[in-house]
Amino acid sequence: MSEFKRIAPEQAQALRDKGAVVVDIRDPQSFAAGHISDSQHLDNYSLADFIAKADLDTPLIVTCYHGNSSQGAAAYLVGQGFSEVYSLDGGFELWRATYPQDTETSQPE
């Protein structure tokens, strides 16, 4: 895959079931207030470490607020060598509406 693909929450859920990694690029407070279960917060501070430790062949789903910012981040991650990258259409807001049972909160970073 030389470019990222946009996917709906249902497709993202199917990929999660198969082991895809979910990264959330929203601000730390928004991530703490609610995020996709088992997702990782990704920002400028954690990006290099994430890339260094990641399996570049594992499917990667990028989410943001509404599915706009994640497209740029997904394109960047493709450029960093990830072979299968997806941007979640509708972002966390649509995910939360579709899969409220698959969201969680955490302490702010």
Side-chain angles (χ1 to χ4, degrees), residues 63-75:
T63 188
C64 60
Y65 298 97
H66 300 106
N68 297 318
S69 300
S70 58
Q71 293 179 50

Side-chain angles (χ1 to χ4, degrees), residues 21 23 25 40-58 60 62 72-83 85:
V21 172
V23 294
I25 63 166
Q40 300 177 48
H41 185 244
L42 197 60
D43 62 15
N44 290 337
Y45 303 104
S46 61
L47 180 62
D49 192 51
F50 172 77
I51 292 171
K53 293 179 179 176
D55 177 349
L56 301 180
D57 294 322
T58 298
L60 182 64
V62 184
Y76 175 80
L77 290 165
V78 167
Q80 297 305 302
F82 287 87
S83 61
V85 183

Side-chain angles (χ1 to χ4, degrees), residues 12-33:
Q13 182 69 304
L15 283 171
R16 284 180 72 227
D17 290 343
K18 295 177 182 175
V21 172
V22 179
V23 294
D24 189 319
I25 63 166
R26 297 175 301 144
D27 67 86
Q29 295 80 13
S30 296
F31 180 81

